[in-house]
Amino acid sequence: MAELVLNVNGARMSVDAPSDEPLLFVLRNRLNLTGTKYGCGEGQCGACTVLLDGRATRSCLTPVAAAANAKIITIEGLEQQGQLSAVQQAFLDEGALQCGYCTSGMIVSATALLKNKRNPSDDEIVTAMNGNVCRCGTYPRILAAIKRAAQHGAEGASQ
Amino acid sequence: MSARNEFEREFFEGGSWTPPGGWQLDRRGFLKLFGGGLFVGLVSAKAVAQEAGRNFGDHALPKDLSAWLHIAADGQVKVFTGKVEVGQNIRTSLAQQVAEELRVAFDSIEMVMGDTALVPYDMGTFGSRTTPTMGPELRNMAGAARQMLIETAAARWNADAATLVAVAGKVTDPKMLRSLSYGELTRGENLVKIVASDDPFTPATAWKIAGTPVPKAQGRDFVTGKHIYPSDVVRPGMMFGAVLRPDGFNAKLVSIDTSAAEKLPGVTVVHDGDFAGAVAPHRLDAQHALAAIEAKWDVPAQPSNRELFDVLKSGSGNGFGDRGQHTVGSVAQAMETADVKAEEQYTVQYIAHAPLEPRAAVAEWDGDKLTVWTGTQRPFGVRDELVQAFGIPAENVRVIQPDMGSGYGGKHTGEAAVEAARLAKAAGKPVKLEWTRREEFTWAYFRPAGLIEIRGGARRDGTLVAWEFHNYNSGNAAIGTPYNVPNQIIQYHSANSPLRQGSYRSLAAAANHFARESAMDSLAHGAGMDPLEFRLKNLTEPRLIAVLKAAAEKFGWGSAKSTPERGFGIACGTDKGGFVATCAEVAVDPATKKVRIRQVVQAWDSGAIVNPDGLRNQISGAIVQGIGGALFEQILFADGRIQNASFGQYRLPRFSDAPQIEVVLVDRKDLPSAGAGETGIVGLSPAVGNAIFAATGARIRSMPMAPRTAAPGQPETVFKS
């Protein structure tokens, strides 16, 4: 067990956890941030994606100790003062979910993509998002939502 | 919305909250809990006859009142149903229908779903039954409530009820220019209405809320991570569980040593017969404890993929027995005179539902009372499993189903619920059990594998004369043919499945459509006819013809010829009240034989559309899910073990597999609404197979059609995906 200090969604949080415990379980079970989901435990589905210093990262494969010096952003940290992020709003506007279990990981992955590439092509979106599985098959709408968010982000890029 | 939040807080954060009036809410309990207002329920026909025309006070409620709609003094409406939301959007579409009949805003409806202590008994959410059965049931109650509110206003005003109208949550008297909101009408009242089933519905042509693309209820909670799925439920003092799994199917426990695991701090080890598991304060601790248990299993010899289809066929008796055989005319005679013949065998492998949220449950005992939060399509079925497992009365068991991470027919059972309850009982604390992906792949159940044998015959002009269809094991959903054939034999043969199998989106309709529509394509080709023309020649069902024409028109069927690199395929079918036609464009790389589905146009008719946006989402999703079973999904198994029990080994449809999809909706406002969650999947695989044939001349008769490597015992296909 190790006393670790994590920077999660802009807040410092200290947790007592084995240093090799996956960040996913620390977030979900020790910090009660259940928006990040378990899907496969092997980095193949993207449901557990969080931002680590802005990079989309599979929290199921990340030992918590490896995240101790990083800025961690989870799905719960994207909303600012009650305002949805452009990606969150675009997912709502496009109805880009069915059961919604993949949605957190999709939104976080798309957020990282749009941070690197303001106006990605369809092919670039597919390549960047191909590690995220939507078993309900909502891919075409998710693609549309990411393009909508890119447009919105470009319009409000000053912030 | 505040009422909704308060209500949910009682379940998820309320600690020891217990419904008033006992674990299972009785009618008095409802009145106490919701503080009066208007209740609407269904009773048996006998009780209706006895009580006709009467309203009930609290004291006089019939005992068999079985379903509820409640309007509170603030005008908020609660609707109680045993159906569950698993991504198919019924929380939204049912609320739309209630809002429509009740004449209230969509936002004033709260659906209380899948909580066995609060909702009337329900068999489960499957078979595309919610829209055709629960929809009318709730509309019926809403219509009765509306009528009662009008009568209540009439009594208050001493007016003629026939002169009053209900609109926008109010009863209005147009002549006297006065109105009362539903909340005002129900305030301080304990009104109960029983429903006769003959109240007329608002016709779909007059719908204002139903029939429109209302966004998903509580959608914001899903994009912010706030929605609580079954695996997210947390209870005070909750521990984590893990269950020891056998080395293979049908294994017997030979020996077990739990002593090392028992020495671990904070760990409770459970061992009872062949069941063993561990409970610990943290998830990893429970898994470590499990790893410290030494167990030896005896796994018997059992079939693998290699023997699969022989086993399915040999287990089915003599093959032409009397079990449900449908016979018309004489296939044997008709085949002799047929000019064009097809005798073909089709196979489908087992596939996994792979819901992104694996089975999960949180179990909590309070004395001999048990509450379990779990993801299931059958909360009452799971309750019955718990009753049986623990020998406690049904009224002591409460199953709560938070809207879950999908099912597709794969979560009818309560394994995780029973296991969590066993562990919680031993630990004396609430226990969460989350199955791993490997467990979900191994210890849940599969879409059945199947073998289908077909003989078909047609005259040179394309008229079908004979059709014989045998399905071994996969199932009899949509086993019949929608085409006009004067001579038919159709039969389902049950078999001894080597793997545990169960329901899956569309059941066997996907396999039966794959085989039938591929064989129809063969016959069309044999007769030298365009596959669309051939189908139209043999169909008279107007709804099927309409979707075929709609899909073909949108796709531009016939405007381009297939080439070796690019093939076009078409298929159609019907099941569970839905009619579907699918056109697919497939690209085939002549060198690598890599297949990619480029475009799909699917036309769909399921009667009056309740929510066109939700419907498009379902149909489009069914197409994408169908790609997996069509091209690459397959369970590989040998020696009682699943050999590809992970997402790294079991390929799922991804972004790069999704074609351009166009959904053409045929809205039949003159017809009752049918369910649409399943049948949208059946057209994809035959349309794709027929497109591959059109491009290459190769007819692929086994699903998956383009796997990385063929399952043992399955003919190697040259195509890859």
Side-chain angles (χ1 to χ4, degrees):
Chain A
M1 295 295 262
E3 172 88 16
L4 293 161
V5 179
L6 300 179
N7 179 342
V8 186
N9 299 329
R12 284 167 57 85
M13 299 180 174
S14 76
V15 286
D16 215 13
S19 54
D20 63 343
E21 183 164 307
L23 176 61
L24 172 65
F25 297 150
V26 173
L27 292 170
R28 287 180 54 80
N29 300 334
R30 297 179 192 263
L31 299 175
N32 205 24
L33 292 167
T34 55
T36 307
K37 305 301 183 197
Y38 169 87
C40 68
E42 53 167 344
Q44 290 283 340
C45 77
C48 67
T49 307
V50 299
L51 297 181
L52 235 56
D53 290 329
R55 279 202 352 267
T57 304
R58 305 294 187 240
S59 65
C60 74
L61 294 181
T62 306
V64 61
N69 295 313
K71 279 168 85 171
I72 304 164
I73 302 287
T74 70
I75 185 72
E76 291 92 346
L78 295 180
E79 197 179 348
Q80 298 289 332
Q81 280 103 42
Q83 188 84 19
L84 297 180
S85 74
V87 179
Q88 288 174 311
Q89 188 62 49
F91 270 66
L92 265 192
D93 293 344
E94 292 288 341
L97 61 145
Q98 291 186 33
C99 82
Y101 194 79
C102 72
T103 304
S104 297
M106 289 285 180
I107 287 175
V108 172
S109 295
T111 301
L113 165 65
L114 294 182
K115 209 162 269 180
N116 290 333
K117 188 109 198 168
R118 206 166 269 180
N119 202 8
S121 67
D122 283 15
D123 283 349
E124 285 170 330
I125 295 173
V126 167
T127 302
M129 299 296 293
N130 221 30
N132 287 72
V133 168
C134 173
R135 188 53 167 156
C136 300
T138 322
Y139 300 122
R141 286 186 178 208
I142 296 172
L143 194 95
I146 294 172
K147 287 163 78 169
R148 176 190 279 257
Q151 259 172 1
H152 253 254
E155 283 158 22
S158 55
Q159 70 174 99
Chain B
M1 287 293 147
S2 67
R4 167 183 296 155
N5 292 340
E6 267 173 39
F7 191 69
E8 289 193 345
R9 196 170 311 129
E10 287 179 314
F11 295 116
F12 298 118
E13 300 167 19
S16 62
W17 183 80
T18 309
W23 202 237
Q24 200 76 17
L25 273 189
D26 63 12
R27 311 313 161 205
R28 235 171 248 274
F30 261 93
L31 293 173
K32 258 164 95 179
L33 179 60
F34 300 119
L38 170 63
F39 294 83
V40 182
L42 296 174
V43 295
S44 69
K46 194 170 143 220
V48 171
Q50 284 169 354
E51 308 287 354
R54 263 189 65 186
N55 295 329
F56 293 91
D58 181 4
H59 57 286
L61 295 179
K63 285 275 180 284
D64 57 349
L65 201 55
S66 67
W68 291 89
L69 179 148
H70 174 250
I71 304 173
D74 62 0
Q76 287 290 311
V77 181
K78 283 188 171 63
V79 180
F80 301 87
T81 175
K83 298 297 180 199
V84 295
E85 172 64 54
V86 300
Q88 80 284 44
N89 208 35
I90 61 168
R91 182 177 287 283
T92 308
S93 63
L94 288 175
Q96 282 179 269
Q97 294 175 77
V98 172
E100 184 69 52
E101 293 296 343
L102 199 50
R103 314 281 191 256
V104 299
F106 173 78
D107 283 345
S108 58
I109 308 272
E110 182 201 337
M111 301 297 301
V112 177
M113 306 175 80
D115 179 335
T116 62
L118 295 180
V119 304
Y121 177 83
D122 189 274
M123 286 267 287
T125 306
F126 50 79
S128 296
R129 299 306 298 157
T130 300
T131 297
T133 61
M134 187 53 65
E137 192 154 342
L138 295 180
R139 287 169 71 190
N140 197 19
M141 288 198 285
R146 185 185 74 219
Q147 194 52 40
M148 184 159 189
L149 289 160
I150 289 174
E151 284 163 15
T152 304
R156 288 220 190 145
W157 290 328
N158 202 15
D160 177 4
T163 65
L164 307 180
V165 292
V167 62
K170 288 177 184 161
V171 177
T172 297
D173 180 347
K175 257 193 275 178
M176 305 294 287
L177 298 173
R178 56 188 171 182
S179 67
L180 282 167
S181 72
Y182 290 177
E184 287 167 325
L185 285 166
T186 60
R187 196 163 297 149
E189 302 267 7
N190 277 344
L191 303 171
V192 175
K193 166 101 174 167
I194 54 169
V195 172
S197 58
D198 55 356
D199 290 1
F201 292 149
T202 305
T205 47
W207 282 350
K208 295 184 181 69
I209 300 170
T212 67
V214 171
K216 183 177 174 74
Q218 299 166 31
R220 194 184 168 100
D221 287 352
F222 291 88
V223 301
T224 54
K226 288 195 180 74
H227 174 70
I228 300 294
Y229 290 87
S231 54
D232 300 332
V233 170
V234 175
R235 299 295 298 166
M238 187 179 81
M239 311 279 274
F240 291 81
V243 174
L244 184 72
R245 301 296 174 190
D247 279 349
F249 300 125
N250 310 303
K252 285 276 157 252
L253 185 59
V254 177
S255 67
I256 183 166
D257 179 358
T258 59
S259 56
E262 279 162 20
K263 290 194 188 97
L264 295 170
V267 169
T268 304
V269 176
V270 186
H271 174 215
D272 176 13
D274 278 6
F275 178 85
V279 177
H282 292 285
R283 183 173 165 143
L284 285 193
D285 299 338
Q287 283 167 355
H288 291 154
L290 214 58
I293 296 175
E294 288 199 30
K296 285 202 172 62
W297 300 88
D298 181 19
V299 184
Q302 47 201 299
S304 69
N305 292 90
R306 192 173 298 284
E307 302 84 36
L308 173 60
F309 300 111
D310 292 339
V311 170
L312 295 185
K313 192 157 182 190
S314 67
S316 63
N318 62 15
F320 291 87
D322 55 3
R323 275 175 304 165
Q325 188 181 97
H326 163 83
T327 309
V328 186
S330 167
V331 167
Q333 276 177 20
M335 283 301 286
E336 279 174 26
T337 64
D339 302 312
V340 180
K341 296 175 190 181
E343 294 199 31
E344 303 183 336
Q345 180 174 299
Y346 290 82
T347 62
V348 299
Q349 293 283 347
Y350 293 104
I351 61 176
H353 307 78
L356 206 54
E357 181 182 39
R359 281 163 166 70
V362 174
E364 179 171 302
W365 289 88
D366 176 11
D368 62 350
K369 289 179 175 174
L370 172 64
T371 302
V372 179
W373 292 259
T374 192
T376 175
Q377 294 170 247
R378 297 177 62 242
F380 286 91
V382 172
R383 183 191 67 177
D384 293 346
E385 284 186 50
L386 292 163
V387 163
Q388 200 158 25
F390 298 101
I392 49 176
E395 56 268 27
N396 281 15
V397 181
R398 179 178 188 183
V399 174
I400 301 172
Q401 203 305 142
D403 297 3
M404 70 178 171
S406 77
Y408 321 111
K411 288 182 182 164
H412 284 198
T413 45
E415 300 87 352
V418 173
E419 289 163 357
R422 273 182 105 150
L423 295 173
K425 195 167 184 156
K429 288 184 176 155
V431 168
K432 176 185 283 194
L433 176 68
E434 295 170 88
W435 277 24
T436 63
R437 177 57 56 192
R438 182 165 293 278
E439 287 177 300
E440 182 69 31
F441 262 117
T442 309
W443 301 104
Y445 54 86
F446 300 102
R447 195 280 308 268
L451 171 68
I452 294 168
E453 292 177 339
I454 290 177
R455 277 205 301 170
R459 287 205 287 268
R460 200 165 308 286
D461 69 354
T463 307
L464 286 167
V465 294
W467 185 249
E468 182 168 0
F469 191 100
H470 297 272
N471 177 310
Y472 296 87
N473 187 62
S474 105
N476 58 16
I479 196 172
T481 175
Y483 299 97
N484 304 316
V485 199
N487 303 288
Q488 298 185 17
I489 296 171
I490 290 169
Q491 188 167 18
Y492 166 64
H493 307 262
S494 62
N496 295 320
S497 169
L499 297 184
R500 186 179 175 212
Q501 60 185 16
S503 188
Y504 182 93
R505 193 174 202 166
S506 92
L507 303 169
N512 286 330
H513 275 79
F514 170 62
R516 189 193 69 226
E517 289 298 296
S518 298
M520 292 298 287
D521 208 66
S522 282
L523 289 167
H525 184 73
M529 283 176 72
D530 175 82
L532 171 63
E533 193 191 327
F534 178 79
R535 283 174 170 79
L536 291 173
K537 186 179 179 71
N538 289 288
L539 285 172
T540 44
E541 166 57 55
R543 296 176 74 182
L544 197 47
I545 291 170
V547 289
L548 255 178
K549 287 183 171 169
E553 190 191 328
K554 190 75 176 176
F555 188 76
W557 182 262
S559 65
K561 278 214 168 354
S562 293
T563 66
E565 292 86 30
R566 193 167 76 140
F568 305 107
I570 192 166
C572 68
T574 175
D575 194 33
K576 300 183 177 73
F579 295 83
V580 64
T582 311
C583 297
E585 177 192 339
V586 167
V588 183
D589 185 317
T592 63
K593 301 294 179 194
K594 200 170 151 87
V595 170
R596 169 155 168 66
I597 306 169
R598 290 176 57 172
Q599 193 200 162
V600 173
V601 172
Q602 186 155 297
W604 174 258
D605 165 12
S606 51
I609 296 170
V610 179
N611 184 322
D613 185 63
L615 181 56
R616 279 180 192 283
N617 214 355
Q618 278 298 293
I619 299 300
S620 178
I623 290 167
V624 173
Q625 188 160 38
I627 291 170
L631 292 186
F632 41 74
E633 283 185 44
Q634 58 182 355
I635 286 292
L636 301 176
F637 66 103
D639 307 320
R641 297 179 186 93
I642 304 301
Q643 298 176 309
N644 56 343
S646 73
F647 282 170
Q649 297 164 298
Y650 183 94
R651 185 173 161 196
L652 300 166
R654 290 178 181 269
F655 275 94
S656 55
D657 297 306
Q660 189 187 324
I661 295 172
E662 273 198 77
V663 176
V664 182
L665 297 181
V666 179
D667 190 3
R668 290 295 302 268
K669 290 188 191 299
D670 55 323
L671 293 171
S673 309
E678 301 186 77
T679 303
I681 202 171
V682 305
L684 190 275
S685 61
V688 166
N690 295 342
I692 293 174
F693 175 80
T696 66
R699 171 81 53 204
I700 310 301
R701 298 191 179 88
S702 50
M703 284 210 287
M705 291 184 273
R708 220 171 330 197
T709 50
Q714 180 136 313
E716 197 67 50
T717 88
V718 296
F719 299 106
K720 303 285 172 231
S721 51

